[in-house]
Amino acid sequence: MSNPSLVSLLITPYTILLLFVLYYLLPYLAKTHWLFIPAPFPAAYTNLWLLWQARRGRRFLAVNEAHKKYGKFVRIAPNHISIADDGAIQAVYGHGNGFLKSDYYDAFVSIRRGLFNTRDRTEHTRKRKTVSHTFSAKSIGQFEQYIHANIELFVKQLTKLSQTQRNPKTEYASIDALNWFNYLAFDIIGDLAFGAPFGMLEKGKDVAEVRKTPDSPPTYAPAIEVLNRRGEVSGTLGIIPGLKPYASYLPDSFFSKGLEAVENLAGIAVARVSERLKPEVMANNTRVDLLARLMEGRDETGAKLGREELTAEALTQLIAGSDTTSNTSCALLYWVLRTPGVMKKLQEVVDEALPERVKVPTYAMLKDVPYIQYVIQETMRIHSTSSLGLPRQIPVGNPPVEICGRTFLAGDVISVPSYTIHHSTEIWGPDAEAFVPERWAPERLTARQKAAFIPFSTGPRACVGRNVAEMELTCIVGAVFRNFEFVLEQEHDMETREGFLRKPLGLAVGIRRRAV
């Protein structure tokens, strides 16, 4: 009988089991300074726990529940600590700390890296310099004409619906408000970012042209559905970005359909930029919109954005400026309707601020009306469209950093969960789960609350489009409550699902035209 080979001696059920254990144990033990930080099982040993929560669309809730159970510091992955302390916000996201975006953002790259997903500090500085002038006060003032025109069409279409679909018994027409806020937000960002609306308000449905390359024949796809799928799959693959090249082969169709959505969303940007850059269009163009400003932008060397980079940045604007606005508008209507007295007060302050014949207000008419801003801010707090903790990595060579009494080392990934901070009773008081617009009155708002409010993040990576978003939301709120009355028709709470952003799944309301 021959002697057993060395390989057969080494490959036994016990060695396989040992390798399996070491595969998960070593990442845990490698972070000796984290050994006593609690974690939901098995998050300390594998990224699969966080991947599973993201796949279910409930990452923000799972992390929030973990903080309630384990406290301020929670290990949500072998190399990721979530810090539920507002004292960590500036340390993690503020200017001058030099922290980088983690590899989570690699999953969001499609055409090429843009301002949102670039991780290199020098490249980000170059891109931000090129793009930031797009959102100057002067530029934003010029954008309002396009926002206003689409809100006018929105009011016209809802007026028609409220009349043609009115239930004689209730006097209200039944609609899914989310759909119409989606159509409005997409048409506005289409107008701003690509030179023309998508036509969703006009058609009353979700459709957009797609081109794989500038010269490809057009196909069509539901842009809102595509954007939702893209956010969900990218937010999930960001947990294990190395999985992205193989994700379409996974048995779960969530991944293959999501990656198809990534391609379609990029194709929408390619199609719209190609249309805008046609010589005959450019020759007669007098528009002053986001794309025009992006085409004017130059970096420190005087170089403009190339076509591919221009398309990538236009895609970023499409993503950042569409469902963020529709999510917030929908959540605002929901919380206003379920909170007694808020709709009536909103209508009163809007009516008081507007001249009698004005149905669609300008931003200047409403921007200084306190109660409108209180309602918008309270919606962004309690709904938290960006609910997850945006992950940051301490760069190689960085000295140890102390945050909230704990030491973190180069290579560590840390985040501050927005939803948990925005719902903290320690910060916001015992009524943190209630919708209370009045908490934003200057005499009630504390310095701590003001600093802990981060719907647009903070620091060098904060949302560059914040001022456009605030203008848009203010004008939408004014137009909606100037022209319509609503009743909540669903008995259950508004359901949401998280991708990169937290998205309402629908909002059944009754609508009728106001007599003003």
Side-chain angles (χ1 to χ4, degrees):
M1 181 182 287
S2 61
N3 292 326
S5 69
L6 180 61
V7 172
S8 63
L9 287 173
L10 290 176
I11 300 178
T12 69
Y14 298 105
T15 55
I16 292 172
L17 178 62
L18 178 62
L19 289 172
F20 182 80
V21 169
L22 288 176
Y23 179 80
Y24 289 104
L25 192 60
L26 288 177
Y28 170 74
L29 294 175
K31 297 287 183 180
T32 55
H33 57 302
W34 288 1
L35 292 182
F36 298 104
I37 295 179
F41 184 81
Y45 306 97
T46 173
N47 288 331
L48 293 177
W49 178 83
L50 195 57
L51 181 84
W52 173 238
Q53 303 304 336
R55 167 63 183 87
R56 297 166 66 199
R58 65 181 309 276
R59 171 179 171 163
F60 75 100
L61 284 176
V63 171
N64 186 57
E65 289 162 7
H67 280 294
K68 284 182 178 180
K69 182 175 181 179
Y70 298 112
K72 182 186 302 184
F73 295 93
V74 176
R75 193 171 182 175
I76 58 174
N79 191 36
H80 188 166
I81 297 293
S82 179
I83 310 172
D85 190 321
D86 52 314
I89 292 172
Q90 287 305 315
V92 176
Y93 302 109
H95 289 275
N97 63 18
F99 293 0
L100 306 174
K101 286 191 170 182
S102 75
D103 61 359
Y104 172 80
Y105 292 87
D106 291 346
F108 291 83
V109 180
S110 53
I111 298 171
R112 62 175 293 174
R113 289 192 186 273
L115 183 65
F116 167 71
N117 50 39
T118 187
R119 296 172 60 201
D120 180 84
R121 199 181 317 166
T122 302
E123 179 66 5
H124 177 265
T125 300
R126 186 189 76 82
K127 287 181 180 295
R128 192 172 180 100
K129 179 178 175 60
T130 308
V131 171
S132 60
H133 85 289
T134 304
F135 297 97
S136 67
K138 181 182 177 182
S139 296
I140 290 168
Q142 293 169 322
F143 296 161
E144 185 173 0
Q145 58 187 307
Y146 309 115
I147 295 172
H148 195 273
N150 284 285
I151 296 177
E152 282 187 329
L153 180 56
F154 173 74
V155 170
K156 178 184 175 182
Q157 295 293 67
L158 286 188
T159 297
K160 187 186 299 182
L161 277 175
S162 67
Q163 294 168 345
T164 60
Q165 298 185 17
R166 181 176 63 89
N167 184 328
K169 293 182 179 179
T170 65
E171 298 296 318
Y172 288 91
S174 297
I175 64 168
D176 184 342
L178 175 64
N179 287 340
W180 286 96
F181 284 127
N182 277 332
Y183 302 156
L184 173 60
F186 267 81
D187 273 359
I188 288 175
I189 200 61
D191 220 350
L192 288 178
F194 301 113
F198 285 98
M200 293 185 187
L201 285 170
E202 193 70 54
K203 300 182 185 78
K205 67 178 185 177
D206 171 18
V207 64
E209 181 184 320
V210 177
R211 290 180 189 265
K212 301 290 179 169
T213 69
D215 301 319
S216 298
T219 57
Y220 295 87
I224 297 164
E225 180 185 328
V226 162
L227 183 60
N228 289 341
R229 284 187 182 275
R230 179 262 187 193
E232 290 176 12
V233 77
S234 298
T236 302
L237 290 174
I239 312 301
I240 309 178
L243 190 61
K244 186 179 178 182
Y246 315 103
S248 59
Y249 302 107
L250 295 174
D252 185 351
S253 63
F254 166 85
F255 292 100
S256 57
K257 290 179 179 178
L259 290 175
E260 182 182 357
V262 171
E263 291 184 8
N264 281 334
L265 193 62
I268 290 170
V270 169
R272 297 306 300 268
V273 171
S274 296
E275 180 63 28
R276 179 65 181 279
L277 293 183
K278 285 181 177 178
E280 61 271 25
V281 175
M282 291 295 292
N284 300 308
N285 180 60
T286 58
R287 290 176 59 95
V288 187
D289 54 24
L290 281 169
L291 197 61
R293 289 293 184 220
L294 285 171
M295 287 189 283
E296 292 169 1
R298 297 175 185 271
D299 62 21
E300 66 278 359
T301 69
K304 289 187 174 184
L305 297 174
R307 183 179 184 125
E308 191 177 75
E309 193 173 15
L310 179 68
T311 306
E313 294 303 341
L315 175 59
T316 296
Q317 302 310 321
L318 169 63
I319 296 165
S322 53
D323 61 349
T324 49
T325 305
S326 59
N327 292 352
T328 304
S329 299
C330 185
L332 185 146
L333 180 58
Y334 168 73
W335 283 101
V336 165
L337 295 186
R338 65 165 284 172
T339 310
V342 176
M343 182 171 71
K344 184 174 184 295
K345 186 166 183 180
L346 259 181
Q347 289 170 333
E348 288 173 354
V349 299
V350 169
D351 290 346
E352 185 179 342
L354 298 183
E356 185 177 343
R357 294 185 179 180
V358 172
K359 301 302 181 186
V360 179
T362 65
Y363 181 55
M365 292 174 180
L366 298 180
K367 67 183 178 69
D368 296 321
V369 178
Y371 193 71
I372 293 174
Q373 302 309 318
Y374 298 168
V375 169
I376 292 172
Q377 289 168 310
E378 182 68 345
T379 300
M380 290 192 290
R381 180 195 70 83
I382 201 164
H383 177 71
S384 300
T385 290
S386 177
S387 293
L388 56 83
L390 300 171
R392 297 291 184 263
Q393 187 164 30
I394 301 174
V396 174
N398 206 86
V401 178
E402 186 175 303
I403 301 175
C404 298
R406 279 200 176 271
T407 299
F408 296 88
L409 307 178
D412 290 350
V413 175
I414 47 183
S415 62
V416 182
S418 300
Y419 178 89
T420 302
I421 294 296
H422 286 172
H423 287 252
S424 167
T425 54
E426 181 184 336
I427 299 170
W428 302 98
D431 63 352
E433 295 296 333
F435 186 77
V436 185
E438 291 80 5
R439 77 169 81 244
W440 294 93
E443 64 273 15
R444 289 186 57 176
L445 188 69
T446 68
R448 183 182 185 186
Q449 290 169 340
K450 189 175 181 180
F453 183 55
I454 49 172
F456 299 99
S457 192
T458 189
R461 293 285 197 159
C463 176
V464 294
R466 175 175 185 161
N467 293 334
V468 174
E470 290 174 342
M471 172 191 284
E472 208 173 317
L473 287 168
T474 299
C475 293
I476 290 171
V477 169
V480 164
F481 292 101
R482 174 67 158 182
N483 292 283
F484 304 105
E485 290 181 349
F486 300 89
V487 289
L488 195 59
E489 292 191 341
Q490 61 186 45
E491 296 180 0
H492 56 82
D493 291 343
M494 183 180 71
E495 296 179 70
T496 65
R497 181 177 174 86
E498 185 184 42
F500 178 72
L501 301 174
R502 183 180 170 208
K503 179 80 177 176
L505 298 182
L507 181 62
V509 299
I511 182 174
R512 70 180 181 188
R513 184 80 191 201
R514 283 185 73 202
V516 291

